[in-house]
Amino acid sequence: MIKTDASIFFDKFAVTFDTFYDGKRNALMQLIDKNFRKDIFLRFTYTFDSFGNLKNKTLIDIGCGSGIYLLEALKRNAKHITGLDPATEMLKLTEARLSRNGFIDKFRLIESIFPATNLGKYDYAIVMGVMDYVKDPSTFLKELKNIISEATCVSFPSKHWFRTPFRKFRYSLRKCPVYFYDENEIKNLAKSAGFSKVMIKKIQGAGMDYHVTLMP
Ligand SMILES: C[S@@+](CC[C@H](N)C(=O)[O-])C[C@H]1O[C@@H](n2cnc3c(N)ncnc32)[C@H](O)[C@@H]1O
C-alpha cells in the first residue's frame, strides 16, 4: 500500500491522538484542548446532528483514525460501518475500540488512502480532519460523491492569518504537508465534484474548521 507523509505521521501519532478524546491527557493539555481544539468536539456533534437517524443505514468513515465516529454510528444503530485509514496504528485502535464495545460483526476496516478502488456504496460518509492532508481535494471530492447515496460530512481547515502559517511550520517539521481552504474554494470544489446541495458551517473557536454537509 502507498504510504503518504500524513499516514506515516499518523502511524506514529495514533496513541497520542486518541488521548484527545478519552480525557487521559494531563491537566494542562486538557485545558489547551478545551480552548484550542474545540473544533474536534464540535464537528462530532454537528456530524451526527446533520445525519439524523442512522438506523439500518450504512456508513463509511474515511480517515477514521481511532474510530470515535464509527463507535457512535454503531451506538446509533447503523446497520454496518466501514472505516478506512492508511495508518495501521489508527486501525488497531479502532478495532480494539469497536470490539471492546461488543460490535464484533458490524464493521469492516480497510487500510488505504482515499481515493481507493472497489469501495462499494454507502448511505453516508464521514471525512473529519482529513482534508488538511489531501493534496488533490478535487479528485477526492469527485470520488467521494460516487460512493454515497444520502450525504457526507466533511471538515475543512480554514485560512487564518496567524494559525495557518504557524500550523504549516509545525507540520513541516513533522514532514507532513497541510492544506487550507476558504468558503469559496469549498463551494467551487463541491460544485465541480457534482454535489447538488452544499451546507457550510464555520465552527467558531481557535481552530475554526468549516463543517460541510454535501448531498449528491
Ligand atoms: C486528524 S486524524 C482524524 C481522525 C478522525 N477522523 C477523527 O476526527 O477523530 C486524520 C486521519 O486521516 C488519515 N488520512 C490522512 N490522509 C488520508 C487519505 N488521503 N485517505 C484516508 N485517510 C487519510 C490519517 O491517517 C489520520 O488517521
Coordinates of all heavy atoms in Angstrom, one line a residue, residues 149-185:
S149 N -25.0 7.7 -1.2 CA -26.3 8.0 -1.8 C -27.1 9.1 -1.0 O -28.0 9.7 -1.6 CB -27.1 6.7 -1.8 OG -27.2 6.2 -0.5
E150 N -26.8 9.3 0.3 CA -27.6 10.3 1.0 C -26.8 11.6 1.3 O -27.2 12.7 0.9 CB -28.1 9.7 2.3 CG -29.0 8.5 2.0 CD -30.2 8.4 2.8 OE1 -30.5 9.3 3.6 OE2 -30.9 7.4 2.7
A151 N -25.7 11.5 2.1 CA -25.0 12.7 2.5 C -23.6 12.4 3.0 O -23.3 11.2 3.4 CB -25.8 13.5 3.6
T152 N -22.7 13.4 3.0 CA -21.4 13.2 3.6 C -21.1 14.5 4.4 O -21.5 15.6 4.0 CB -20.3 13.0 2.5 OG1 -19.0 12.9 3.2 CG2 -20.3 14.0 1.5
C153 N -20.5 14.3 5.5 CA -20.0 15.5 6.3 C -18.5 15.5 6.2 O -17.8 14.5 6.4 CB -20.4 15.4 7.8 SG -22.1 15.8 8.0
V154 N -18.0 16.7 5.8 CA -16.5 16.8 5.6 C -16.0 18.1 6.3 O -16.7 19.1 6.3 CB -16.3 17.0 4.1 CG1 -14.8 17.1 3.8 CG2 -17.0 16.0 3.2
S155 N -14.9 18.0 7.1 CA -14.4 19.2 7.7 C -13.2 19.7 6.8 O -12.5 18.9 6.2 CB -13.9 18.9 9.1 OG -12.7 18.2 9.1
F156 N -13.1 21.0 6.8 CA -12.0 21.7 6.0 C -11.4 22.7 7.0 O -12.1 23.5 7.5 CB -12.6 22.5 4.8 CG -13.1 21.6 3.7 CD1 -14.5 21.2 3.7 CD2 -12.4 21.3 2.6 CE1 -15.0 20.4 2.7 CE2 -12.9 20.6 1.6 CZ -14.2 20.1 1.6
P157 N -10.1 22.7 7.1 CA -9.4 23.7 7.9 C -9.5 25.1 7.2 O -9.3 25.1 6.0 CB -8.0 23.2 8.1 CG -7.8 22.4 6.9 CD -9.1 21.8 6.5
S158 N -9.8 26.1 7.9 CA -9.9 27.4 7.3 C -8.5 28.1 7.3 O -7.6 27.7 7.9 CB -10.9 28.3 8.1 OG -10.4 28.6 9.4
K159 N -8.5 29.3 6.6 CA -7.3 30.1 6.5 C -7.3 31.1 7.6 O -8.3 31.8 7.7 CB -7.1 30.7 5.1 CG -6.9 29.7 4.0 CD -6.8 30.4 2.6 CE -6.6 29.3 1.6 NZ -6.8 29.7 0.2
H160 N -6.3 31.2 8.3 CA -6.2 32.2 9.4 C -4.8 32.9 9.4 O -3.8 32.2 9.2 CB -6.4 31.5 10.7 CG -6.5 32.4 11.9 ND1 -5.4 32.7 12.7 CD2 -7.5 33.1 12.5 CE1 -5.8 33.5 13.7 NE2 -7.1 33.7 13.6
W161 N -4.8 34.2 9.5 CA -3.5 34.9 9.3 C -2.4 34.4 10.2 O -1.2 34.4 9.8 CB -3.8 36.5 9.6 CG -4.1 36.8 11.0 CD1 -5.3 36.8 11.6 CD2 -3.2 37.1 12.1 NE1 -5.2 37.1 12.9 CE2 -3.9 37.3 13.2 CE3 -1.8 37.3 12.1 CZ2 -3.3 37.7 14.5 CZ3 -1.2 37.6 13.3 CH2 -2.0 37.8 14.5
F162 N -2.7 34.0 11.5 CA -1.7 33.5 12.3 C -1.6 32.0 12.4 O -0.5 31.4 12.2 CB -1.9 34.1 13.8 CG -1.0 33.5 14.8 CD1 0.4 33.9 14.7 CD2 -1.4 32.6 15.7 CE1 1.3 33.3 15.6 CE2 -0.5 32.1 16.7 CZ 0.8 32.4 16.6
R163 N -2.8 31.4 12.6 CA -2.8 29.9 12.8 C -2.3 29.1 11.6 O -1.6 28.1 11.8 CB -4.2 29.5 13.2 CG -4.3 28.2 13.9 CD -5.7 27.8 14.2 NE -5.9 26.3 13.9 CZ -5.7 25.4 14.8 NH1 -5.3 25.6 16.0 NH2 -5.9 24.1 14.5
T164 N -2.6 29.6 10.4 CA -2.3 28.9 9.2 C -0.7 28.8 9.0 O -0.2 27.6 8.9 CB -2.9 29.4 8.0 OG1 -4.3 29.4 8.2 CG2 -2.6 28.7 6.7
P165 N 0.0 29.9 9.0 CA 1.5 29.8 8.8 C 2.1 29.0 10.0 O 3.1 28.2 9.8 CB 2.0 31.2 8.8 CG 0.8 32.1 9.1 CD -0.4 31.3 9.0
F166 N 1.5 29.2 11.2 CA 2.1 28.6 12.4 C 1.9 27.0 12.3 O 2.9 26.3 12.5 CB 1.4 29.1 13.6 CG 1.9 28.5 14.9 CD1 3.2 28.7 15.3 CD2 1.0 27.8 15.7 CE1 3.6 28.2 16.5 CE2 1.5 27.2 16.9 CZ 2.8 27.4 17.3
R167 N 0.7 26.6 11.8 CA 0.5 25.2 11.7 C 1.3 24.6 10.5 O 1.8 23.5 10.6 CB -1.0 24.9 11.5 CG -1.4 23.5 11.6 CD -2.9 23.3 11.8 NE -3.2 21.9 11.7 CZ -4.2 21.4 11.0 NH1 -5.0 22.2 10.3 NH2 -4.3 20.1 10.9
K168 N 1.4 25.4 9.5 CA 2.2 24.9 8.3 C 3.7 24.6 8.8 O 4.3 23.6 8.4 CB 2.2 25.9 7.2 CG 1.1 25.8 6.2 CD 1.4 26.5 5.0 CE 0.3 26.2 4.0 NZ 0.1 27.0 2.9
F169 N 4.2 25.6 9.6 CA 5.6 25.4 10.1 C 5.7 24.2 11.0 O 6.6 23.4 10.8 CB 6.0 26.7 10.8 CG 7.3 26.6 11.5 CD1 8.5 26.5 10.7 CD2 7.4 26.5 12.8 CE1 9.7 26.4 11.3 CE2 8.7 26.4 13.4 CZ 9.8 26.3 12.7
R170 N 4.8 24.1 11.9 CA 4.8 22.9 12.8 C 4.8 21.6 12.1 O 5.6 20.7 12.4 CB 3.6 22.9 13.8 CG 3.9 23.8 15.0 CD 2.9 23.5 16.1 NE 1.5 23.6 15.7 CZ 0.6 22.7 15.9 NH1 0.8 21.6 16.5 NH2 -0.7 22.9 15.4
Y171 N 3.9 21.5 11.1 CA 3.8 20.3 10.3 C 4.9 20.0 9.4 O 5.2 18.9 9.0 CB 2.4 20.2 9.7 CG 1.4 19.7 10.6 CD1 0.9 20.5 11.6 CD2 0.9 18.4 10.6 CE1 -0.1 20.0 12.5 CE2 0.0 17.9 11.5 CZ -0.5 18.7 12.5 OH -1.4 18.3 13.4
S172 N 5.6 21.1 8.9 CA 6.7 20.9 8.0 C 7.9 20.3 8.8 O 8.6 19.5 8.3 CB 7.2 22.3 7.4 OG 7.9 23.0 8.4
L173 N 7.9 20.6 10.1 CA 8.9 19.9 11.0 C 8.6 18.4 11.1 O 9.5 17.6 11.3 CB 9.0 20.5 12.4 CG 9.3 22.0 12.5 CD1 9.3 22.5 13.9 CD2 10.7 22.3 11.9
R174 N 7.3 18.1 11.0 CA 6.9 16.6 11.0 C 6.9 16.0 9.6 O 6.5 14.9 9.5 CB 5.5 16.5 11.6 CG 5.4 17.0 13.0 CD 4.0 17.3 13.4 NE 3.8 17.4 14.8 CZ 2.6 17.8 15.4 NH1 1.6 18.0 14.6 NH2 2.5 17.8 16.7
K175 N 7.4 16.8 8.6 CA 7.4 16.3 7.2 C 6.0 15.9 6.8 O 5.8 14.9 6.1 CB 8.4 15.2 7.0 CG 9.8 15.6 7.3 CD 10.8 14.5 6.8 CE 12.2 14.9 6.9 NZ 12.6 15.7 8.0
C176 N 5.0 16.7 7.2 CA 3.6 16.3 6.8 C 3.0 17.6 6.2 O 2.6 18.5 7.0 CB 2.9 15.9 8.1 SG 1.2 15.5 7.8
P177 N 2.8 17.7 4.9 CA 2.3 19.0 4.3 C 0.8 19.1 4.7 O 0.1 18.1 4.8 CB 2.4 18.8 2.8 CG 3.1 17.5 2.6 CD 3.2 16.8 3.9
V178 N 0.4 20.4 5.0 CA -1.0 20.6 5.3 C -1.6 21.7 4.4 O -0.9 22.6 3.9 CB -1.2 21.1 6.8 CG1 -1.3 19.9 7.7 CG2 -0.1 22.1 7.2
Y179 N -2.9 21.6 4.1 CA -3.6 22.5 3.2 C -4.8 23.1 3.8 O -5.5 22.6 4.7 CB -4.1 21.6 2.0 CG -3.0 20.8 1.4 CD1 -2.7 19.5 1.8 CD2 -2.2 21.4 0.4 CE1 -1.6 18.8 1.3 CE2 -1.1 20.7 -0.1 CZ -0.8 19.4 0.3 OH 0.2 18.7 -0.2
F180 N -5.1 24.4 3.4 CA -6.2 25.2 4.0 C -7.2 25.7 2.9 O -6.8 25.8 1.7 CB -5.5 26.3 4.7 CG -4.6 25.9 5.8 CD1 -3.3 25.5 5.6 CD2 -5.1 25.7 7.1 CE1 -2.5 25.0 6.6 CE2 -4.3 25.2 8.1 CZ -3.0 24.9 7.9
Y181 N -8.4 26.1 3.3 CA -9.4 26.4 2.4 C -10.2 27.7 2.8 O -10.3 27.9 4.0 CB -10.4 25.3 2.3 CG -9.8 23.9 2.0 CD1 -9.2 23.2 3.0 CD2 -9.7 23.4 0.7 CE1 -8.5 22.0 2.7 CE2 -9.1 22.2 0.4 CZ -8.5 21.5 1.5 OH -7.9 20.3 1.2
D182 N -10.8 28.4 1.8 CA -11.8 29.4 2.2 C -13.2 28.9 1.7 O -13.3 27.9 1.0 CB -11.4 30.8 1.8 CG -11.3 30.9 0.3 OD1 -12.1 30.3 -0.4 OD2 -10.4 31.7 -0.2
E183 N -14.2 29.7 2.1 CA -15.5 29.2 1.7 C -15.8 29.1 0.2 O -16.4 28.2 -0.2 CB -16.5 30.2 2.4 CG -17.9 29.6 2.6 CD -18.7 30.4 3.6 OE1 -18.3 31.0 4.5 OE2 -20.0 30.4 3.3
N184 N -15.2 30.1 -0.5 CA -15.4 30.0 -2.0 C -14.8 28.8 -2.6 O -15.3 28.1 -3.5 CB -14.8 31.2 -2.7 CG -15.9 32.3 -2.8 OD1 -17.1 32.0 -2.8 ND2 -15.4 33.5 -2.9
E185 N -13.6 28.5 -2.1 CA -12.9 27.3 -2.6 C -13.7 26.0 -2.3 O -13.8 25.1 -3.2 CB -11.5 27.1 -2.0 CG -10.5 28.1 -2.6 CD -9.2 28.2 -1.7 OE1 -9.2 27.9 -0.5 OE2 -8.2 28.7 -2.3

